[in-house]
Amino acid sequence: MIKRLTFLAFLATITVASAQQTTPIRKSLETTKRSIRLDVPMTNSIKKAFAAGTRDFSGKPGPNYWQMEADYTINASLDPSTSTITGSEKIRVHNNSKDDLRILVLRLDHNIFRPEAQRGSSVPAEATEGMVLTSVKVGGQEADLKAAPAFGRGNNGGGTAPTKITISGLTQTIATVNLIEPIKAGATAEVEIAWHTKLPGGPNGRGHRMTQRFDNKLFQPTQWYPRLAKYDDLRGWETSPYLGPSEFYNNFGKFDVYLTVPGGWIVSGTGVLQNPKEVLTETARQRLSTILNSDEDVIIVGENEKGPGKSTAPGDKLTWHFLADKVNDFAWATAENFIWKATRATIPGKGPIPLHMVYAPERARSFENAGKVARHALEYYSNLWAPYPFPQFTMQDGPSAGMEYPMVINSNQGAADHETAHQWWPMMLGTNETRYGWMDEGFNQFMNIYSGADSRGRPVNLDGRGQSYGLNSGNESEAPMMWSANDAGIGYSFQTYGKAPLMLSMLGGIVGDEAVVNAMKKYTTTWAFKHPSPWDYMFFMNNELGQDLEWFWYYWLFTTESVEGSIKDVKTVKGKTTVTVNQAGQMPSPIVLKVEFEATGPALKKVTNAKMIDATTAEVTWPVSVWFNGNRTYNAVMDFGERKIKKITFDPHNRFPDSNTADNVWPVEKK
């Protein structure tokens, strides 16, 4: 306790100090100087990877790069009367890491449907028991599903070694399997799991994957089986819970899947159907044999072909066998009355592949142009980035009309372009969407701009997009792009989807849009079927573009700052013009000035940092480094001679974030 006398003296000190400081030190919203950060933060996870040689400043996989792989053999059957899938699976875990694995982490996404589950903004259509595991074996040894986990020497290096395999988190979306003996580095182990899960249905679902059936007639299972979580060189096991919005970070591997459904029900899914003679009619098989001959849609199973022996081969139950290699997930759909039509997409350097569409008869209008839209996307993105790598592509109808999986999209024609683009990110480049959603959804939104322009026969125009970020900058609800997407809250949509195209618009304003696309094309090829991190992307782009752009990546990815440029003053003396440019924001940018001259007058002098747009218009550029001294104003001097200038515009292509563009023009335009 403070003695009374001492306390009174303390109060007197505060009073004197307050009296002496009668005015605040800062007097305006804009500081006189700013500190420009020129490098990107290197977090503990990326430092670890650099130290291990799995990643480096080249942006390419390091000499010691490795990745976990998982192969699945799944047998599952659907009971429409209970809306339940009952399954068993074997997962071959390829521990390609340098670590002995003392635990395994499972993703049990269907536990999000349990009432007590942790979740974000998503709302399940109905509460279920979630993903119910009835048996788990590792290396043939049965796990005790009811025992409390024993954290001993086999798990954390101390105490008594456990005598049985235990599992924690069985009611959550992340479960931990505590092993008796570790899976050695470089070894392979087999995990066997028996399970069942109910697919939620009804009108109350909110968010993708929260409704997975229409009554008991159409089912659209997604994230429907126990999966091995990702183990990588950055942080080991990825233990981010499944909250609803953020989706993928999975191991690549082979899927050998057997799906048993009632006879007459059409099944579609990831991979290639292995037993068409056992499940399809001869008529359907004959029709399928023609689909690669033209771009026309071919009906494989029509509306009036329903039931065993008509829509499918005869039989009360049929087992459909699909096989897929080098994929990171498996999704499927089935219905008692699917219409099935198919066409082709012609992949550059590969040739035609089948493009399938399955949909309910009452939703046929939404699939009238689906094949055309998906074909354009597959062919266009194959040229833009890399050829579509898979042997087929399928569009599946159902409650989720905008979702992506390898070789499969749950979409009609409305979202077909966007969902098809996901075959590159994250189905080809396995990015960590739970943390860095912008590397998936954001890049997708960017490439959609290109595809959309091409489909309308128009040139791509990214002008205005980068500048528009100024209207959002400063919003306290916005999470920086490098903040975990799983924890982005109400700002998730903009952080994950909206901001990356604006960032790449500004980058194109600095290095040129074509250079950006060419660099990303090489990035795609370099990291195909691997797992790039944001640092890999940043450093790869720096090297391909031949510039140190760490300042750029820092402000766009790690902050929510903007440029806020303006023209403060223009003075001309003896033909030499000085433009005083100000940047009120923390993010710097190059200075780009569009200078428009009068039509007549003395000839224009040649200026080294200028290019002529036409006979009376020049574009003059100063590098971003003019701001690295911390000043907020820069006097941009131009000597074009005595020709009179009639207008100057800062950032004429509208690429740099700015909330008020009225002060970017001289003389100030009258309203």
Side-chain angles (χ1 to χ4, degrees), residues 113 207-212 222-223 242 244-245 247 400 403 405:
F113 305 137
H208 287 308
R209 304 167 300 280
M210 295 299 105
T211 308
Q212 299 199 355
T222 55
Q223 291 159 237
Y242 174 51
E247 295 151 359
S400 181
M403 192 56 211
Y405 294 90

Side-chain angles (χ1 to χ4, degrees), residues 395-476:
M395 304 179 71
Q396 301 179 152
D397 195 10
S400 181
M403 192 56 211
E404 69 280 357
Y405 294 90
M407 301 188 224
V408 162
I409 61 173
N410 291 344
S411 176
N412 54 43
Q413 61 208 25
D417 183 83
H418 175 87
E419 304 308 337
T420 302
H422 278 301
Q423 298 302 313
W424 283 262
W425 294 299
M427 307 311 163
M428 190 174 177
L429 276 71
T431 52
N432 186 345
E433 191 176 355
T434 61
R435 292 180 182 270
Y436 314 116
W438 57 272
M439 298 182 74
D440 170 8
E441 299 290 0
F443 287 170
N444 196 330
Q445 294 289 102
F446 174 69
M447 61 201 281
N448 297 160
I449 297 168
Y450 277 78
S451 177
D454 184 78
S455 67
R456 294 188 292 271
R458 300 174 183 172
V460 175
N461 185 355
L462 297 173
D463 287 357
R465 296 179 186 274
Q467 187 181 82
S468 70
Y469 176 61
L471 300 174
N472 201 78
S473 174
N475 183 338
E476 294 177 1

Side-chain angles (χ1 to χ4, degrees), residues 177-189:
V177 181
N178 305 284
L179 303 176
I180 299 174
E181 296 293 335
I183 301 172
K184 296 292 187 180
T188 298

Side-chain angles (χ1 to χ4, degrees), residues 206-224:
R206 186 174 73 233
H208 287 308
R209 304 167 300 280
M210 295 299 105
T211 308
Q212 299 199 355
R213 62 184 172 89
F214 287 148
D215 298 322
N216 61 349
K217 298 180 179 180
L218 185 155
F219 294 84
Q220 196 184 50
T222 55
Q223 291 159 237
W224 54 281

Side-chain angles (χ1 to χ4, degrees), residues 151-203:
F151 296 100
R153 189 175 63 204
N155 297 293
N156 61 4
T160 304
T163 58
K164 56 186 174 181
I165 299 172
T166 59
I167 305 179
S168 60
L170 284 173
T171 63
Q172 301 301 311
T173 58
I174 294 291
T176 302
V177 181
N178 305 284
L179 303 176
I180 299 174
E181 296 293 335
I183 301 172
K184 296 292 187 180
T188 298
E190 187 168 86
V191 180
E192 300 172 76
I193 307 175
W195 51 271
H196 61 82
T197 186
K198 181 182 179 181
L199 303 181

